[in-house]
Amino acid sequence: MEESSKRSEQRKEMEKERKKGEKKRRKEEEEEEEEILIFNHKSAEKEKEDEDLSDSEDSVFSGLEDSGSDSEDDDDDDEDLKVDQNLSQQEEEEEEEEDVQSSLKKKDEEEEVKRDEYEHDSSDEEDIRNTVGNIPMEWYKDFPHIGYDLDGKKIYKPIRNKDELDDFLDKMENPDYWRTVQDKQTGSDVVLSDEQVELVKRLQRGQFGDVNFNEYQPQVEFFTQEVMLHPVTNRPADKRSFIPSLLEKDKVSKLVHAIKMGWIKPRRDSRDDSRGRYYDLWASEDTSNLARHRMHLPAPKIPLPGHHESYNPPPEYLFTDEERALWEQQDPVDRKFPFVPRSFSSLRLVPAFPRFIHERFERCLDLYLCPRQRKMRVNVNPEDLIPKLPKPKDLQPFPTTQSLVYRGHSGLVRSISVSPSGQWLASGSDDGSVRFWEICSSRCLKTVQVGGAVKSVAWNPNPSVCLLAVALDSAVLILSPALADRQVVLSSDRLLSAPQEAEPIEGDGLVNWSDTEGEELNQGIRLKIQHPKAVQQVAWHTKGDYLASVMPDHSSHLQVLIHQVSRRRSQNPFRKNKGLVQSVSFHPIRPYFFVATQRSVRIYNLVKQDLTKKLHANSKWISSMAVHPGGDHVICGSYDCKLSWFDLDLSTKPYRMLRHHRKAVRSVAYHRLYPLFASAADDGSIIVCHGTVYNDLLQNPLIVPVKVLRGHVITHELGVLDVTFHPTQPWIFSSGADATIRLFT
Amino acid sequence: MGGLQKKKFERGSAANYITRNKARRKLQLSLPDFRRLCILKGIYPHEPKHKKKVNKGSTAARTFYLLKDIRFLLHEPIVGKFRDYKVFVRRLKKAYGKTEWSAVERLRENKPTYKLDHIIKERYPSFIDALRDIDDALCMCFLFSTFARTGKCHVQTIQLCRRLTVEWMNYVITSSALRKVFISIKGIYYQAEVMGQLITWVVPYQFSHDHPTDVDYRVMATFTELYTTLLGFVNFRLYHSLNLIYPPKMDSKVEMDQMEDDDYAMTSESNSEKLSALSASLARAVSSAEEEEAELDQFPVEGEDIEQMEAKEKEQKQQKLFKGLKFFLNREAPRESLAFVIRCFGGEVSWDKSLCIGSTYEVTDETITHHIADRPNIEKQYINRYYIQPQWVYDCVNAKMLLPVEDYFLGVNLPPHLSPFVEEKEGDYVPPEKLKIMALQRGEKPANEEEEEDEEEGEEEEEEEGDEEEEEEEDEEEEAEEKNLKMMEEQRSQGKSLQVKVTPGKVKAENSARLEEEEKAEEKRLAIMMMKKKEKYLYDKIMFGKKRKVREANKLAAKRKAHDDAEKSKKKKAKK
């Protein structure tokens, strides 16, 4: 260390004296080497005493003494030479031995150092005593020798008769046992010297083998930082060293351009700037109401939870077993609550709600995916919807209670009719009889067996005669029940018997007028008008001379016949088939004729003989029709439960449709004097309505339902079949499928 | 007739609507981008009035957007950012593919970002609009703040949500805006009144979530992105309206106190945690003393009604419901919720030091008035405080008064917890517990319950007996009449001549009132018959709804009665 420092100092001081100092340095170096060698010597001397004992045998076998000096490496040569030089003066006697010793030691050292290497790969250095080369020594394990020396003679293995015990003893007794190693090449044991041990240790520690080697020598800089007076080289500077580089310029300009264009951005501040992110966004409240905001439909808020959702609800909100079962059966969409109400005795027992995230997610979906529509919620008081009508009390009189029941028929009572005097009631039934009742006493005065189901009965409206038209099968009978005073009976007889001389002109072949005889005559049947087809309905003209009969038929134009009783004439008024005729009626005052077909009502002028109006009833199938006594209003009942009121002055469409009944309307009727009308239906009810008609054309009729009458028993799904008002009293008669006739007063 | 023939579906409502796919094509966006844009801009489909007209005659199910809305989206700067992001992703992929790590890093640094400030301003032109729509934002942020910090969404989002919700809660505490609380099986509902707006939000219970697989977290994340921005701005504005510093800081005194005893975490972290402990009041920009003085100076405006004044007084009273009470939370009670509620109503609250940061006093404090615990029994009890279950706090808040603590002692069967959001109208079913609370609010003192019950029982029994007797009497009369009639009929059928006998007729007292009623009912029925078809339909619908309501109320009442009866019989059995 001192040496080197000195050296550097020297060099710094004077460079020129380098050559001079060379000699001096050499000397110093030699001295240094001497010291090392001397040290070596000392240690070697110490070892010698031990080795002499142990190594004597080795030397014999290995023949080291012979080959020792010869087999030295080139590296060692210099040293050996120096050794020779140095030692030649000192000791001559021991020269040889020492030489051998030292060389041996060197060998051993080398071997120790390079042992690891030998195990793995070969190197240039070869063992000079054994010429077998670098081979695995196991190959010789079966031979007595271990290799060959330079002369080609076998080198024999040292005799090893040490067993375990010897080994152990050796271990116990020999103090150098730990430093004894076996030389594989020669097979001999070698005891390592202190120096060698030291070396091994140093190598194991990863230090340099040489003790005196300094790893941290000061760096000798080739160039000093001091500016030298003269250049190191004499080469002139390049031209490019003082011309700006085009390449760089190109690159820089590209970067500048990129920055300008915003392609390159300065590095962003990496730290989270969220703390200072927020500011007063609504600092300047502009009230600009965009059109968008006017159109905006805010999403409805989530409904607030009720008692059901509580963790500890009142017991009535918990599900019973049935409710729970129902809840489980239902589709998740149909359920009233998306959860089952549960009760927990304390807050710590409440678990997490498993569908919480789902619910939030569904809300999200609703917000952005669900189509929105503005719906006007009707917030009406239901009471306000009910129309304000005059009280029924103020609209009296009208029938309110059932007062009489006329029993006697054994079949459905299809038709009833009240005599114009208001004293008698005639009824025709399916049991083939026509009965005459006294209205006030409900007594059946007379029964006429006509021999067939009676479809329709109609009392002649002329009060001066007492006749009844009865429709059964294909015949129309004219009865004279003789239930009036003599004058009337006589006049009716006169009417029937008068026109003998006048022969029928029209409809000859169609209708056969015949007087009845014998039994029938006794019963009161006076005339029989034979029709070609089954007759459904008969209707009198107000004067009581004309009689219309209906024979519904799809395919024929012969559906309606008008008979003149006094002259016994019949005629077919229509040349064309305009649909299935349901019902006909004469206008009460003027010469008009109403024909109700399946869908519409036709009004014909009998004088002009043409169609004046066609009323469209908005119903599927008209069942019955009635004409207001004033003649300007018509009501139609239909099988689809409707009743339509036509105002002939107003329109051909119904003025009012009434859907009061729940089943097919069978019959409708007007009261002759009072502003009342009624409808009867299969649901067994009769609805009486008040229907005021004003003379003032500007005022529409007032229609108010005033009473629902019930009494008939529904049989065979048929309720009330016919309904008629009393001609003078506010009474109503009804006949039903239960074979009774009832009077409501 | 001349002129060009008008083509169908080129004007009117058909021209005002656009289907989703067409809209997407017009905007040149992918479906996810379109979705994100719709969420952020608040564009939603509209249901056209005449779907067939809009759908060009087809009745296929389609979602329609207003064409104006879509045109409005065309100018949105964020659309450009979406495209930038797409390019960014492409470049990043490429760089990864080429293993150009420097390029990857550079790209990542310049990742395109966007701000939603302008969208918020545009969607909510005034602050009140924003407040009106904050319900969903709060619910979502509270949900996200409870997520675990792994998977599902970015940790930053979760942290941001947590921060914002804590800020919100602190605001509510400071302004004492909380009005109602409800513990449901889903979570805890809170309702606060901020600037006249009722804001309701729900907080899930503190459990780790079982993340469902059928939920698209991208949609939720987009919503959360919008909501956090909105909530941040709203918080800022709210804090400034109260002269509070934003981002919030603790009051300096409190902070000084607390600085001494904790040194376990970074200051920023501990600060945020202390905030979230909800135990300290916030720092103000203007010192609070001045403000209070200013408040004192106010006097009532002359025109104000007495009622309004009273309402105000009541509200103030409610705001100071827990004033002067000192609570201590046992460790199993839900700390955050209770601390929030108690502090909102002016109470003092603390908890075990080891439970959470920010506890202000110990269990041993002698001045504690209420100790909230959620376990059947506590071994070491102090004499001078009530040991109650957490429900007491919530029920008190909802009843707007301090309820008697006896029903809420440890180990006692709790009275039912009722929803404060239900407002019973006439005819609705009112649970008896609610009636009791209402009576308490009116100032009536409940009589001793057991006595009452006994009395009730007695009365009921008597009544029942009385009823039965009456009924029996009536029955007897009827039976007698029927027998008579039957006899007569039999005689008639046998053909016997009736024994002519005149019995004095009984005058049946006609109940005039009842007759009148009947008449009225009939009138009504007849009038209903005359209703027009449309009105009739509506009327029927309304009446059906009413009837259903009545039916449900009756059902609940019946259920309750059955339950009570069962309880009573059980009690009786136990007594015997």
Side-chain angles (χ1 to χ4, degrees), chain A residues 382, chain B residues 536-552:
Chain B
K536 181 91 183 287
Y537 175 74
L538 184 64
Y539 179 83
D540 283 350
K541 232 174 142 179
I542 293 172
M543 293 319 272
F544 179 77
K546 276 190 170 177
K547 269 179 197 164
R548 193 179 49 197
K549 242 183 204 171
V550 169
R551 212 163 50 225
E552 271 166 13

Side-chain angles (χ1 to χ4, degrees), chain B residues 297-316:
Chain B
D297 284 345
Q298 283 180 348
F299 18 139
V301 186
E302 281 179 26
E304 252 178 347
D305 292 336
I306 301 169
E307 280 182 25
Q308 273 186 350
M309 289 283 288
E310 275 179 3
K312 259 193 180 176
E313 266 178 30
K314 255 190 183 177
E315 206 166 85
Q316 279 177 358

Side-chain angles (χ1 to χ4, degrees), chain A residues 15 221-233:
Chain A
E15 290 236 330
E221 287 169 6
F222 188 71
F223 295 107
T224 60
Q225 75 262 38
E226 292 156 11
V227 181
M228 284 188 282
L229 195 62
H230 301 288
V232 181
T233 62

Side-chain angles (χ1 to χ4, degrees), chain B residues 88-288:
Chain B
F88 160 73
V89 169
R90 204 166 53 212
R91 282 188 180 150
L92 197 69
K93 258 189 202 165
K94 210 172 192 176
Y96 261 117
K98 288 180 173 174
T99 62
E100 289 172 348
W101 304 120
S102 63
V104 167
E105 200 181 329
R106 180 171 47 83
L107 282 170
R108 278 191 181 268
E109 262 168 19
N110 290 324
K111 184 178 171 181
T113 55
Y114 51 85
K115 283 196 165 183
L116 299 174
D117 305 4
H118 67 284
I119 290 183
I120 300 284
K121 175 77 179 166
E122 179 191 275
R123 281 182 71 168
Y124 308 107
S126 71
F127 181 57
I128 294 296
D129 291 335
L131 270 184
R132 240 175 246 152
D133 237 19
I134 202 111
D135 283 19
D136 287 313
L138 279 172
C139 290
M140 196 63 129
C141 286
F142 270 103
L143 171 65
F144 265 65
S145 64
T146 58
F147 279 175
R149 313 206 161 181
T150 48
K152 295 309 168 200
C153 64
H154 296 295
V155 178
Q156 288 93 331
T157 315
I158 295 168
Q159 280 168 344
L160 183 63
C161 282
R162 176 69 187 155
R163 212 192 83 205
L164 290 171
T165 50
V166 165
E167 282 169 13
W168 170 260
M169 286 202 282
N170 272 315
Y171 167 76
V172 172
I173 289 174
T174 322
S175 65
S176 58
L178 195 69
R179 292 287 171 273
K180 289 167 180 176
V181 197
F182 177 50
I183 324 169
S184 80
I185 52 175
K186 290 181 185 173
I188 303 179
Y189 286 87
Y190 300 94
Q191 190 174 57
E193 192 179 347
V194 180
M195 298 194 169
Q197 300 295 322
L198 280 178
I199 294 163
T200 317
W201 69 97
V202 57
V203 182
Y205 290 114
Q206 294 280 350
F207 290 105
S208 64
H209 290 281
D210 188 11
H211 285 286
T213 49
D214 51 346
V215 163
D216 189 352
Y217 278 89
R218 285 175 303 171
V219 173
M220 303 250 280
T222 315
F223 267 104
T224 312
E225 199 181 351
L226 177 77
Y227 284 154
T228 48
T229 319
L230 172 63
L231 193 54
F233 284 120
V234 167
N235 276 350
F236 186 92
R237 173 98 180 188
L238 287 175
Y239 270 71
H240 279 251
S241 71
L242 281 188
N243 274 331
L244 295 171
I245 297 167
Y246 188 90
K249 275 179 193 160
M250 234 95 60
D251 219 354
S252 52
K253 294 178 219 162
V254 185
E255 209 172 351
M256 286 296 282
D257 291 345
Q258 289 190 344
M259 283 299 275
E260 292 162 13
D261 56 27
D262 65 44
D263 40 15
Y264 83 107
M266 279 159 60
T267 46
S268 65
E269 216 168 278
S270 72
N271 209 6
S272 71
E273 273 188 36
K274 260 180 264 163
L275 262 181
S276 59
L278 303 173
S279 65
S281 50
L282 299 177
R284 285 172 189 264
V286 182
S287 67
S288 52

